[in-house]
Amino acid sequence: MSLNPAQRAAVEHLDGPLLVLAGAGSGKTRVVTEKLAWLVARGFPPGELLAITFTNKAAREMRERAAARLRGDAEALTISTFHALGLRLLQAEARFAGLRPGFTVLDADDSLKALKELAPAGISPDNLYWLRQTVSTLKNAGMDPAQALQAAAGPRELQAAELYGAYQKRMTAWNAVDFDDLIRLPLAALESDESLRGRWQRRWRYLMVDEYQDTNGAQYRLLKALAGERGAFTAVGDDDQSIYAWRGADPANLARLAQDWPALRIVKLEQNYRCAGRILRAANALIANNPRPHPKTLWSALPDGPPIRVLACRDNEHEAQRVVAELVGRRQSSGCRWSDCAVLYRGNHQARALEQALRLAAIPYQIAGGDSLFDCAEVRDALAYLRLVANPSDDGAFLRIVNVPRREIGATTLERLGELAGRVNLSLAQAAGQDAALAALPARASAGLAAFEQQLGQWRRRAASEPADTLLARILDEVDYAGHIERSDKNPDQRQRRLRNLDALRQILAGFARHGRGGLAELTQAVSLLSERDQADQDAVRLMTVHSAKGLEFRNVAIVGLEDGTFPHDAAQDEGRVDEERRLFYVALTRAKEWLLLSHSLRRRRYGSIEACTPSRFLDELPAAELHREGEDPERDADHSRALARNHLDRLAALLGD
């Protein structure tokens, strides 16, 4: 595919900052890749180019495309997520951020655990969730604890700011950062030190930012700090697909570009290469109901495709059955694979009825976003034990399991240990083995730490001769991890599931050992990168939320649960965020390439009771000429129902024959 005129203009523009407003399916990834090649062809060394995106998957795809286009030159490019870029900056400039080399990045669970320990005793889960989100919001705005205290407008915000301060004090003692710090800390360092900022601006002569509409305040300021006054960057995004305000994304960052760089040029990509014409006309009509500072009208040279079917169903179980029947019919009529089909919904709870209907029809399916084996707490605990045995400097692993199972080592003791470790430039585990450090701690905690460090030493000696699966079994037995599960989980089915997960991990470790995958350190790193959900080639219907579907496309898409209160979500209606819900529905519509089905229920079970439902207001915003609402043409509906029934009988016969 050659570049169209708008794409070519975006690729070839090098004279000042550029904003590319890339509509859904308009080939933005191709534009980013071609621009990197254009820059190299114009004499920019690949090592001085930086491309930033939001997910590891998007970065991996960009890297693969750049490698195919640039071959050997692509190896020198820096293609990174925002957070991986922040980590790189912190690793290179730790002292500017108040960190020691070898700092730990806490995962979400460990970060929440630290916040919970510092929060008021007996705090409710809802209040803890609010405090956690508020601290994250403050960090994503680039605010430090002192600034948060100054900005607090009431008692609740003051409580959050005080918790933020205590939390950061503990993180400093632990020489640790959390996910939000990966942007906040390098930003603070760059903004406060002109020479540091200048050094990194010279390091990357040109910046590319993908999915720009998803940037938050701190990410925008990081881009500004790296780009400097020269504004040698291209930002690619789509205000119509800004759907992450709930996690801090600020679509107003689009307008800030023109304010900070008045010479900004804007190029719109409006030709869509994905969707049938009918689907695009429906999407255009929908999104036109939103205020849009940069309106776009997507168009396509592809055929119109079949009318968009709209089903009215009795309840969510009936809806699931009808949708599955339509998918079977679509497969029979078009010869598509199951993996060409996706069912999208607003919330994960809507998958249950769909799962049941798909199982009854013996149709394979995959749920996007399900937990991996390696997301389970017990598996992460077990891997943390192995990581710490392999690497005494792994502070993250130490913090995770020093008190799992309980060893009466409190958070205050760990904070004090972190301060002592920092003074002598040792890891937490190494400091726990020093008599001088232990003598400065309370006697009970000191004894617990000494005993734990002694155990670690024994396991390290065993690691030289024992396979990893055998060593893990020994560790879990000696710390009585099964007893820990028994004490912490009162549900017998859950306890058995957690024990089975540990057995599954040992089998994976045994398999790696049989294939000679290096020592314990290399093995734990390799296992940590595994995901049992990495099954993209499986021929199965995809079930996912619309948020999860962002960036994906399918030949056939069904969108379910189109009722007011579900989509748009009732909280969004109450809080005046219907515009974002409309953008979310726009994203859902534009995932479909050829065939689109929309469904709603007249009644739905919610919060344990049956409620009457009103069809989503968004359905009335779609042009009637592009829709076929069930009941409008009884004769045509009857023919369609007979065809679905025949497909169902044919499928049953095939299954019975198998």
Side-chain angles (χ1 to χ4, degrees):
M1 180 182 75
S2 59
L3 296 174
N4 65 40
Q7 289 174 330
R8 184 166 296 283
V11 166
E12 295 181 0
H13 177 78
L14 295 180
D15 186 20
L18 174 68
L19 171 61
V20 179
L21 293 169
S26 62
K28 70 179 180 61
T29 306
R30 176 176 169 78
V31 166
V32 171
T33 307
E34 287 297 320
K35 181 136 198 177
L36 291 171
W38 179 261
L39 288 162
V40 172
R42 291 299 174 277
F44 284 76
E48 297 180 6
L49 302 179
L50 169 63
I52 313 171
T53 187
F54 273 83
T55 66
N56 290 320
K57 179 175 179 290
R60 188 165 56 247
E61 180 185 353
M62 193 184 295
R63 200 172 290 114
E64 290 169 353
R65 292 199 183 193
R69 182 68 177 79
L70 290 167
R71 304 195 181 279
D73 286 336
E75 294 179 7
L77 296 172
T78 301
I79 299 176
S80 168
T81 64
F82 263 106
H83 290 91
L85 173 64
L87 178 59
R88 178 174 181 161
L89 290 168
L90 283 183
Q91 288 170 334
E93 311 288 0
R95 66 185 180 89
F96 286 93
L99 295 167
R100 302 187 303 278
F103 61 86
T104 294
V105 181
L106 295 190
D107 63 26
D109 284 350
D110 292 334
S111 169
L112 177 60
K113 189 186 301 181
L115 277 170
K116 188 174 182 180
E117 288 169 347
L118 293 165
I123 190 170
S124 71
D126 284 347
N127 279 334
L128 180 63
Y129 176 79
W130 182 85
L131 285 169
R132 180 192 192 185
Q133 290 300 107
T134 303
V135 170
S136 179
T137 299
L138 291 167
K139 290 189 174 195
N140 286 331
M143 297 174 71
D144 63 26
Q147 292 167 327
L149 273 173
Q150 190 175 6
R156 214 172 174 212
E157 290 185 11
L158 181 61
Q159 182 187 37
E162 289 172 344
L163 177 62
Y164 178 16
Y167 173 68
Q168 283 309 120
K169 181 185 174 193
R170 179 158 294 175
M171 297 286 275
T172 300
W174 288 351
N175 194 35
V177 298
D178 63 18
F179 203 59
D180 295 322
D181 287 328
L182 294 178
I183 306 297
R184 183 183 70 87
L185 290 176
L187 170 64
L190 288 169
E191 287 186 336
S192 63
D193 192 301
E194 186 176 353
S195 63
L196 178 71
R197 188 167 63 250
R199 186 162 73 249
W200 285 97
Q201 287 174 357
R202 291 187 296 274
R203 167 69 179 79
W204 287 306
R205 287 177 55 197
Y206 202 93
L207 282 65
M208 301 283 296
V209 183
D210 195 13
E211 301 291 2
Y212 174 75
Q213 77 282 349
D214 293 336
T215 54
N216 60 34
Q219 288 162 341
Y220 176 77
R221 286 164 57 190
L222 183 63
L223 166 65
K224 186 177 176 182
L226 290 173
E229 293 183 5
R230 73 190 193 284
F233 67 82
T234 294
V236 183
D238 182 7
D239 47 345
D240 292 334
Q241 296 186 76
S242 179
I243 59 173
Y244 292 112
W246 52 275
R247 70 181 189 195
D250 187 358
N253 285 343
L254 289 157
R256 291 190 182 104
L257 284 177
Q259 294 165 8
D260 288 331
W261 289 279
L264 180 77
R265 181 181 175 186
I266 297 175
V267 172
K268 297 180 184 180
L269 304 185
E270 296 176 293
Q271 183 174 359
N272 174 287
Y273 294 93
R274 175 192 301 154
C275 304
R278 191 185 304 277
I279 293 170
L280 279 186
R281 290 195 294 272
N284 284 334
L286 172 87
I287 203 63
N289 290 279
N290 269 5
R292 304 160 75 202
H294 303 290
K296 299 182 298 299
T297 301
L298 299 189
W299 62 276
S300 172
L302 298 171
D304 272 359
I308 300 167
R309 289 185 60 79
V310 181
L311 302 182
C313 308
R314 292 191 302 272
D315 52 35
N316 52 321
E317 285 82 8
H318 182 233
E319 179 183 40
Q321 294 163 7
R322 293 289 309 277
V323 168
V324 169
E326 293 283 350
L327 292 178
V328 171
R330 178 63 180 168
R331 188 170 193 253
Q332 294 289 95
S333 63
S334 70
C336 65
R337 290 163 50 90
W338 290 124
S339 56
D340 292 325
C341 305
V343 184
L344 309 183
Y345 36 76
R346 182 63 180 80
N348 279 311
H349 66 280
Q350 295 172 263
R352 294 170 195 148
L354 293 161
E355 283 192 85
Q356 183 176 354
L358 288 161
R359 282 197 298 263
L360 287 172
I363 295 174
Y365 67 90
Q366 268 186 283
I367 301 181
D371 285 343
S372 160
L373 174 69
F374 303 99
D375 293 324
C376 299
E378 60 276 8
V379 172
R380 293 166 73 178
D381 287 346
L383 284 172
Y385 270 104
L386 291 179
R387 284 166 47 201
L388 191 55
V389 169
N391 178 13
S393 297
D394 192 333
D395 283 349
F398 180 89
L399 289 169
R400 183 173 186 93
I401 48 82
V402 67
N403 217 23
V404 178
R406 291 190 66 80
R407 298 181 177 88
E408 303 303 327
I409 300 167
T412 304
T413 296
L414 291 175
E415 186 173 332
R416 179 69 178 138
L417 179 66
E419 292 169 353
L420 295 167
R423 288 177 195 166
V424 292
N425 200 28
L426 293 175
S427 71
L428 293 171
Q430 290 165 337
Q434 299 289 312
D435 291 340
L438 294 176
L441 298 172
R444 191 172 182 180
S446 176
L449 284 169
F452 181 49
E453 179 58 27
Q454 188 176 14
Q455 271 189 314
L456 286 170
Q458 293 170 355
W459 295 331
R460 287 185 186 117
R461 288 188 289 274
R462 292 276 188 180
S465 57
E466 281 188 356
D469 57 313
T470 305
L471 177 64
L472 179 60
R474 178 185 299 279
I475 291 171
L476 296 179
D477 180 57
E478 291 183 5
V479 302
D480 189 24
Y481 197 88
H484 164 70
I485 290 176
E486 183 83 21
R487 291 186 295 273
S488 61
D489 200 329
K490 303 305 178 187
N491 184 317
D493 291 336
Q494 285 280 84
R495 292 199 298 267
Q496 288 303 312
R497 179 189 61 77
R498 296 179 69 183
L499 291 171
R500 285 197 299 272
N501 286 341
L502 291 171
D503 284 336
L505 175 61
R506 283 196 293 269
Q507 291 168 18
I508 291 170
L509 292 170
F512 270 75
R514 282 195 300 272
H515 291 89
R517 295 288 186 93
L520 185 60
E522 292 81 6
L523 188 147
T524 54
Q525 290 167 3
V527 170
S528 296
L529 295 173
L530 285 176
S531 171
E532 65 178 2
R533 294 277 175 178
D534 190 12
Q535 302 171 343
D537 294 331
Q538 182 181 335
D539 188 22
V541 174
R542 306 295 199 253
L543 305 181
M544 64 185 71
T545 65
V546 183
H547 283 103
S548 298
K550 177 76 164 57
L552 303 178
E553 59 183 43
F554 302 91
R555 283 181 62 186
N556 313 299
V557 170
I559 308 171
V560 303
L562 289 170
E563 305 101 29
D564 271 0
T566 301
F567 203 171
H569 195 274
D570 48 7
Q573 296 178 85
D574 295 341
E575 297 166 12
R577 293 186 288 106
V578 172
D579 287 352
E580 178 162 348
E581 291 288 294
R582 187 176 285 109
R583 292 195 293 269
L584 189 60
F585 187 42
Y586 173 84
V587 167
L589 294 175
T590 54
R591 299 312 94 193
K593 297 169 72 173
E594 299 173 9
W595 180 88
L596 182 59
L597 176 73
L598 311 176
S599 67
H600 64 91
S601 296
L602 303 177
R603 297 183 302 278
R604 188 171 290 275
R605 183 178 295 278
R606 296 185 59 176
Y607 311 117
S609 61
I610 303 296
E611 297 180 0
C613 298
T614 302
S616 171
R617 68 191 70 186
F618 296 152
L619 290 172
D620 291 332
E621 295 175 2
L622 302 179
E626 312 302 345
L627 308 180
H628 174 71
R629 293 179 182 264
E630 195 172 48
E632 291 179 343
D633 186 341
E635 184 175 342
R636 184 177 177 182
D637 289 341
D639 289 341
H640 184 71
S641 296
R642 283 192 290 271
L644 291 183
R646 282 196 303 272
N647 288 332
H648 179 64
L649 291 173
D650 290 345
R651 178 165 173 75
L652 280 178
L655 290 172
L656 290 171
D658 289 342

